[in-house]
Amino acid sequence: MPNFALPYLAYLLSALLLLAGFVAIYTRVTRFDEWTLIHQGNIAAALSLGGALLGFSCTLAFSIALHASWRDFLLWALLAMLVQVAAYAALARLLRGMNQAIHEGNAAMGGLMGAVSLGVGVINAACLT
């Protein structure tokens, strides 16, 4: 096995596990059941969750690319989780009825939530530089 394979696999598997953990936490925090709604064809829920996944993934990617330490990568990933959940909570408070709108399939609201999550993730990732 080449020298780079072990670190590559460690980062890849860690990032995938962190992504799965983020999804588990994020879908527990939101006030609607994304998976049920997505299975029912609710585009708003898919846009909202998709944006959060991409936003969190941006921070994971930047952290892997910019930090030599696996420990630092894990720390930034955990902080990114907190930032993404805080962004959801702040937007839910600012936009009364957002959760209900997403539950009802309002794609515009889901798109906005997804875009905000992605934007927060990109900004969070850029702060790592």
Side-chain angles (χ1 to χ4, degrees):
M1 183 178 287
N3 289 344
F4 62 85
L6 191 56
Y8 167 81
L9 289 173
Y11 277 107
L12 178 63
L13 293 176
S14 297
L16 292 174
L17 288 172
L18 286 162
L19 193 58
F22 170 74
V23 169
I25 291 167
Y26 188 84
T27 56
R28 291 239 171 164
V29 169
T30 58
R31 303 219 183 247
F32 45 92
D33 184 351
E34 283 91 343
W35 297 117
T36 298
L37 294 174
I38 290 169
H39 282 284
Q40 294 171 349
N42 186 313
I43 293 170
L47 291 171
S48 177
L49 182 59
L53 284 168
L54 289 172
F56 180 68
S57 295
C58 285
T59 306
L60 289 180
F62 270 65
S63 182
I64 290 168
L66 298 173
H67 296 286
S69 160
W70 184 73
R71 185 173 162 227
D72 286 349
F73 160 68
L74 293 178
L75 176 65
W76 286 117
L78 295 175
L79 290 171
M81 281 188 200
L82 291 174
V83 169
Q84 288 296 125
V85 170
Y88 161 78
L91 196 58
R93 288 183 72 75
L94 289 171
L95 296 174
R96 301 270 183 214
M98 180 191 78
N99 291 318
Q100 186 62 31
I102 291 173
H103 183 76
E104 293 171 355
N106 183 327
M109 193 65 82
L112 176 63
M113 184 64 222
V116 168
S117 294
L118 179 56
V120 167
V122 168
I123 291 167
N124 195 31
C127 290
L128 296 176
T129 62

